[in-house]
Amino acid sequence: MSSMSAGKKGSVIFSGFRALGLYSNHLAHVLRFHKKHREFYVLTAVGQCFHTFNVKKLGIVAVSNALPEDISSLAADRMLVYAAYGKLISAFAQNKEVVHTYTGHQADVHLLLPFGDHLISVDKDNVVIIWDVESEDTYLQISYDKASFEVSALMHPSTYLNKILFGSSQGSLQLWNVKSNKLLFSFPGWASAVTVLQQTPAVDVVGVGLASGQIIIHNIRFDETLMKFQQDWGPVTALSFRTDGHPIMASGSPIGHIGLWDLEEKKLVSQMRDAHTTAIAGLTFLQSEPLLITNGADNAIRVWIFDVAGGDGRLLRQRTGHSAPPTKIKHHDQSGLNILSAGQDGTLQSFSSVHERFNKSLGHGTLYKTKAKKKSVTHDTAKLPAITTFASETGRQSDWDGIIACHRGFLVTTTWNYRKGSIGAHKLEPERFNKNRSLNVHATAVDITSCGNFAVIALSSGHIDVYNMQSGFHRGHYGQDKAHAGPVRGVSVDALNQLTVSVGADRLLKIWKFKSKELGMLAVALDDFTIHILDMETRRITFSPDGRWLITASMDCTIRTWDLPSGSLVDCFLVDAAAVSLSMSPTGNFLASAHVDGLGIYLWSNNTLCSMVSLRPLPADYEPAVIMLPGTCPCKDTEEEEVLDADSSEMAEYISPAQLDEHLVTLSLLPDSRWKNLLHLDIIKKKNKPKEPPKLPKAAPFFIPTIPGLVPQFALPSTPSEDQKSTFYLQLENALSNNSYEEPIKLLRELGPSAIETELRGLSPEMGGDIRVMQSFLKMISSILQSKRDFDLAQAYLALFLKLHLRFIADQPELMKEAESVSAHLEETWMSMQTLLNQNICLLSYIKSALL
């Protein structure tokens, strides 16, 4: 396998965790009722999966497994949820797992209708297929002539056995018996395309929504139109009827308005304007409850309650994200739980990585906060454009505003209050321009000091101003007139309010003294797609050894992680859409990303915090693999998984050998209790001496005798003998002839402190030992020192041996000669270690004190 193909992998540092701020798209929601829980659930499609929320709190209870393509239609019955994608349909059980897949359409499916034990689907080629849900077989197939009857809506009229009503783009309707495959009746229609078919609370009566904006209440049994309504906001996108005793019908429109119609008085009774900022995708009244659920392509689900006089609905609860893609994201506090996000929809929002109930919207930027409240955001003439960048600090956010934001093409910068969840008290604008809007000057970058007292604002004119966040007063500017000759691209203040760093389009990087506003340092920055790290201590462009990673995103759809100490690329992966903003959690557990044309914020978990990850510099020919965004990752094929497993074998968990190198001194890794107290056993025994002699129990149970030691062994029955020798003693005797000391060393490692002392005492002639065996023990110590393994054990064993037999060794020339040899080995090993330690101490002292 070539190095290029072997290197084509995903990220080793990051893995997709979940998406935040995604709630709805242009598809109508689906309502389900759980009989056991006695609770309603609402399902909304989001890209390649669907989310399930409980209506009671709009809390998310399930996220389905992702499909290979975006969902084009969603439907549900009592047991299963059906999602169409491309030419296929999948059935989900428990709102998550795919249990059935229906294959047979030759064109993309765009309409679904569950019908008892069957499922009806319609594709773009105007082919209608009726499926048997369990067997996945085709029960019936109907092909319509697209020119004369293009199916645009369908429904099952209540109490009509085996009957389905089809509506067409040509305006006509047809009632079919799908069991006998017969057309029962054709309705000529009202000269406009049918967009919605909805059962009314009355049997035989159907609500028909048309592309002309007309709403027809029609009796299909007698082919009689009971009433007509005209909606002035364009085609009817959705219809629903109250079933709690009020004869009210709700209709949705393409511009986000909802009309409420009284079916008894046959008139419009109320309008819910701007219920959504986009078309009403779906609206449903809950059965026998005064609640209306709506969703739209503005990424919002809303629950409205009708409990006020006049029949108008008020907002009860909602889940909203950005209706246009985010442009800038940033973790707000040190906990890393909340992410601030500014979107192209002009709003500033906070998303919680813990639970949706902690989300908050800080609203839309406006020049006049009080007037905007009266007029509403939609009709606010002083509405500010989208936020391009912002900065936030939590130091004084309980006392005054802690967020400052720049707006696209706007000179005025705004402050925001996170605690209040709204735009703040100040609109910061320099007086030098006398509010002359024709100068085409706008704010380009902002930062807030870590104390939360000052804001630094950079302009496209090259000026950099400082403001007080509490009062909003101007507190000075950098440079004699301008800080830079061209637009300022970025500005940042250090954590101690000592230095301010600015970079501009004039290719200069400037370091200013924060308090005096004087220029302290000038450097040149390049514009050649390279990254330079400026070390603020040494004033050199370098990779700082104090940092760890630098994470970058570029328009080639890559997200790269650079190791700052080595200056090398250690991780790289591709995503489907280029990232426009990144934010690393202060705790380091998640990376948050926002992407081109994406409404959500995507969280990537940091694998290095919970598993062993080996980071190596990537080769120059490394080919990154595409990783699907979190929450949209399809199931991988088995073959692909096997290939990935084979490729990732080099990243297997590292298992350290017993000794890294034969020249390195290696410790035993045994617990300290096994060797550290060998010299103090006599003191320990004296402390642990019992005050009274042990008493024998009256009826002692039978026990098999065991040999003392840490490894339990049963004692074999043997004839008592005075000259019986231990296993360790015999192994030392054998080692004299074969010069192999592995077995006695291994045996000693398994013995406890008391057993080791007993073995070493038994080596002397006084205890039945022999001088040659004592000599063999010293040779064993020499062999340990020469191998440089078990260095701590050799010291402990030798110290105990000398404590027990020092006087006897001094009187024996053979033992003295062997002891001198051991001493030489010991001194050589220690001198080598001491030299290495001194070198390291010297190097560390130099690094700490020297000015690089």
Side-chain angles (χ1 to χ4, degrees):
M1 184 181 289
S2 66
S3 60
M4 184 178 294
S5 61
K8 191 165 185 178
K9 300 174 195 166
S11 172
V12 296
I13 297 178
F14 300 109
S15 58
F17 177 59
R18 63 173 294 202
L20 302 177
L22 292 176
Y23 299 106
S24 172
N25 63 8
H26 64 284
L27 298 180
H29 65 260
V30 175
L31 195 66
R32 304 182 76 191
F33 181 72
H34 198 291
K35 287 186 176 180
K36 186 177 180 181
H37 296 168
R38 305 294 300 169
E39 191 172 358
F40 285 98
Y41 294 93
V42 59
L43 283 65
T44 58
V46 179
Q48 296 168 321
C49 59
F50 63 87
H51 295 180
T52 305
F53 300 87
N54 55 26
V55 175
K56 186 166 59 178
K57 294 184 178 179
L58 277 189
I60 190 164
V61 295
V63 177
S64 73
N65 291 341
L67 296 168
E69 298 178 42
D70 285 350
I71 296 173
S72 58
S73 183
L74 196 65
D77 59 19
R78 192 173 59 86
M79 298 298 295
L80 300 172
V81 179
Y82 305 96
Y85 58 99
K87 301 172 184 177
L88 303 175
I89 306 164
S90 286
F92 290 81
Q94 300 177 346
N95 296 318
K96 187 171 183 179
E97 302 287 343
V98 174
V99 291
H100 297 293
T101 300
Y102 307 96
T103 309
H105 280 285
Q106 302 303 314
D108 290 348
V109 180
H110 68 108
L111 292 174
L112 292 176
L113 177 67
F115 180 55
D117 295 332
H118 298 83
L119 172 69
I120 304 173
S121 58
V122 185
D123 65 25
K124 293 294 181 66
D125 283 348
N126 220 27
V127 176
V128 178
I129 299 180
I130 302 175
W131 309 87
D132 185 285
V133 170
E134 285 301 317
S135 67
E136 303 178 11
D137 295 330
T138 301
Y139 175 78
L140 179 66
Q141 181 168 325
I142 307 172
S143 295
Y144 287 98
D145 180 12
K146 201 170 184 179
S148 60
F149 194 92
E150 182 182 3
V151 179
S152 58
L154 70 164
M155 64 159 287
H156 165 57
S158 181
T159 73
Y160 280 54
L161 190 64
N162 302 322
K163 312 295 192 301
I164 297 294
L165 181 65
F166 294 94
S168 69
S169 299
Q170 288 77 13
S172 58
L173 292 85
Q174 293 183 2
L175 183 66
W176 282 73
N177 185 320
V178 295
K179 186 173 183 179
S180 60
N181 191 17
K182 287 182 180 179
L183 173 61
L184 302 179
F185 196 80
S186 292
F187 302 88
W190 297 269
S192 180
V194 177
T195 56
V196 182
L197 290 174
Q198 183 65 42
Q199 175 71 52
T200 70
V203 178
D204 303 326
V205 181
V206 173
V208 183
L210 304 178
S212 62
Q214 266 195 326
I215 304 166
I216 311 296
I217 307 300
H218 194 75
N219 188 313
I220 58 173
R221 177 178 289 275
F222 301 108
D223 190 16
E224 178 185 354
T225 299
L226 304 180
M227 58 191 82
K228 291 183 181 180
F229 302 100
Q230 179 63 48
Q231 178 176 275
D232 297 332
W233 306 314
V236 179
T237 59
L239 287 175
S240 187
F241 298 85
R242 285 184 70 172
T243 55
D244 61 337
H246 295 267
I248 299 296
M249 174 184 68
S251 64
S253 68
I255 58 175
H257 301 336
I258 297 174
L260 298 173
W261 311 83
D262 191 312
L263 299 179
E264 284 187 353
E265 299 184 9
K266 300 182 181 180
K267 66 176 185 179
L268 179 70
V269 291
S270 184
Q271 302 176 34
M272 296 168 59
R273 288 183 170 268
D274 305 310
H276 289 267
T277 57
T278 60
I280 304 293
L283 53 82
T284 311
F285 279 107
L286 262 63
Q287 183 71 30
S288 304
E289 291 189 35
L291 296 177
L292 175 68
I293 300 175
T294 64
N295 77 298
D298 58 350
N299 196 19
I301 310 171
R302 294 187 169 96
V303 179
W304 310 83
I305 185 168
F306 293 81
D307 59 352
V308 293
D312 206 356
R314 65 177 178 89
L315 185 62
L316 180 63
R317 62 183 71 94
Q318 63 178 336
R319 287 281 179 258
T320 59
H322 284 295
S323 59
T327 54
K328 163 86 174 180
I329 58 174
K330 180 183 182 294
H331 282 85
H332 178 56
D333 48 26
Q334 292 303 308
S335 69
L337 301 180
N338 299 302
I339 301 171
L340 281 173
S341 172
Q344 294 178 20
D345 55 1
T347 62
L348 182 64
Q349 302 198 33
S350 173
F351 295 99
S352 169
S353 59
V354 178
H355 197 279
E356 282 86 357
R357 69 172 177 268
F358 301 122
N359 292 356
K360 64 167 70 175
S361 175
L362 281 72
H364 203 291
T366 180
L367 287 174
Y368 307 110
K369 184 177 178 181
T370 308
K371 290 182 180 179
K373 282 185 177 179
K374 295 178 181 178
K375 291 183 178 181
S376 83
V377 172
T378 311
H379 302 97
D380 182 14
T381 54
K383 187 168 58 176
L384 289 170
I387 294 171
T388 54
T389 187
F390 63 87
S392 69
E393 277 296 339
T394 58
R396 302 300 293 270
Q397 71 173 7
S398 58
D399 301 320
W400 51 75
D401 300 342
I403 303 170
I404 187 164
C406 299
H407 298 266
R408 185 183 296 121
F410 231 72
L411 176 61
V412 176
T413 53
T414 54
T415 62
W416 299 71
N417 195 299
Y418 186 82
R419 289 287 179 91
K420 295 179 180 177
S422 66
I423 194 167
H426 304 302
K427 310 291 182 291
L428 306 179
E429 181 178 6
E431 295 181 354
R432 68 173 69 89
F433 300 111
N434 297 318
K435 297 189 177 181
N436 185 354
R437 300 288 184 256
S438 62
L439 295 176
N440 197 24
V441 178
H442 60 273
T444 56
V446 288
D447 195 21
I448 296 181
T449 56
S450 58
C451 60
N453 291 316
F454 298 98
V456 181
I457 302 172
L459 307 178
S460 60
S461 60
H463 296 90
I464 300 178
D465 297 291
V466 179
Y467 293 85
N468 184 284
M469 285 294 289
Q470 181 182 11
S471 63
F473 292 162
H474 188 266
R475 295 303 186 195
H477 63 274
Y478 291 94
Q480 294 296 327
D481 180 27
K482 295 183 178 181
H484 288 268
V488 182
R489 300 298 189 201
V491 64
S492 180
V493 183
D494 73 338
L496 299 176
N497 293 5
Q498 299 295 314
L499 301 172
T500 301
V501 182
S502 64
V503 290
D506 54 3
R507 300 185 179 183
L508 294 179
L509 184 149
K510 297 185 178 182
I511 302 174
W512 312 82
K513 295 178 181 177
F514 177 77
K515 292 181 180 177
S516 66
K517 315 291 189 297
E518 297 174 357
L519 184 64
M521 179 73 187
L522 186 67
V524 179
L526 304 177
D527 187 16
D528 57 358
F529 301 106
T530 59
I531 300 170
H532 296 274
I533 307 300
L534 180 69
D535 189 324
M536 293 300 294
E537 294 297 323
T538 64
R539 306 295 197 274
R540 293 180 185 175
I541 294 178
T542 180
F543 283 91
S544 167
D546 300 324
R548 175 75 182 274
W549 294 337
L550 174 69
I551 304 170
T552 63
S554 54
M555 293 311 292
D556 61 356
C557 297
T558 58
I559 296 179
R560 303 169 189 261
T561 304
W562 307 81
D563 183 65
L564 292 184
S566 64
S568 58
L569 178 66
V570 294
D571 190 60
C572 179
F573 63 95
L574 285 164
V575 287
D576 287 331
V580 295
S581 184
L582 296 174
S583 178
M584 193 70 184
S585 166
T587 57
N589 53 354
F590 291 113
L591 170 71
S593 65
H595 298 262
V596 172
D597 296 333
L599 299 182
I601 297 171
Y602 298 91
L603 296 183
W604 308 82
S605 57
N606 183 356
N607 298 331
T608 63
L609 296 183
C610 52
S611 60
M612 191 73 180
V613 177
S614 177
L615 296 179
R616 305 171 186 175
L618 299 180
D621 59 352
Y622 181 82
E623 286 188 13
V626 177
I627 295 182
M628 301 298 286
L629 295 178
T632 60
C633 185
C635 298
K636 297 175 182 176
D637 295 330
T638 308
E639 294 179 9
E640 188 179 349
E641 287 182 352
E642 290 175 359
V643 171
L644 287 175
D645 289 341
D647 288 348
S648 60
S649 59
E650 62 176 329
M651 298 304 295
E653 184 177 351
Y654 176 74
I655 300 174
S656 176
Q659 188 176 24
L660 295 176
D661 188 270
E662 59 182 10
H663 301 294
L664 296 177
V665 170
T666 308
L667 302 181
S668 65
L669 300 182
L670 285 180
D672 291 355
S673 59
R674 300 275 285 273
W675 57 270
K676 207 169 186 178
N677 297 317
L678 284 174
L679 290 176
H680 311 294
L681 283 177
D682 49 349
I683 300 173
I684 294 172
K685 287 179 179 178
K686 188 178 291 185
K687 286 183 177 179
N688 294 340
K689 186 177 181 181
K691 295 180 180 179
E692 297 180 5
K695 298 178 180 178
L696 289 173
K698 295 179 179 178
F702 170 74
F703 289 106
I704 301 176
T706 56
I707 299 173
L710 297 176
V711 181
Q713 289 182 343
F714 293 116
L716 298 175
S718 57
T719 308
S721 174
E722 293 183 1
D723 57 344
Q724 184 179 6
K725 297 181 174 66
S726 69
T727 306
F728 176 69
Y729 189 96
L730 295 174
Q731 288 176 349
L732 283 180
E733 277 187 334
N734 295 335
L736 284 172
S737 57
N738 57 25
N739 203 28
S740 174
Y741 290 95
E742 292 181 2
E743 290 300 322
I745 294 172
K746 182 180 177 182
L747 183 61
L748 273 187
R749 286 172 60 98
E750 296 174 353
L751 296 179
S754 298
I756 293 173
E757 186 193 34
T758 303
E759 293 287 359
L760 296 193
R761 283 187 184 278
L763 299 181
S764 67
E766 297 174 358
M767 302 295 293
D770 189 82
I771 293 177
R772 293 179 65 253
V773 178
M774 295 179 69
Q775 190 177 0
S776 179
F777 178 84
L778 291 173
K779 287 184 177 181
M780 182 191 76
I781 298 296
S782 293
S783 72
I784 297 176
L785 294 174
Q786 285 175 339
S787 69
K788 292 186 168 58
R789 295 174 65 171
D790 298 332
F791 190 74
D792 47 351
L793 298 185
Q795 305 286 336
Y797 297 159
L798 180 62
L800 179 60
F801 183 77
L802 294 176
K803 179 182 178 180
L804 297 175
H805 307 298
L806 185 61
R807 294 181 182 276
F808 183 77
I809 293 171
D811 296 336
Q812 304 298 324
E814 300 95 332
L815 294 179
M816 279 298 297
K817 183 179 179 181
E818 197 62 46
E820 289 172 0
S821 175
V822 172
S823 178
H825 286 308
L826 192 61
E827 188 174 358
E828 179 187 353
T829 306
W830 177 244
M831 287 301 294
S832 174
M833 283 187 63
Q834 195 171 35
T835 303
L836 290 173
L837 290 171
N838 289 337
Q839 287 177 352
N840 283 290
I841 291 170
C842 181
L843 182 61
L844 287 171
S845 300
Y846 172 73
I847 291 173
K848 287 172 65 177
S849 60
L851 181 63
L852 295 177

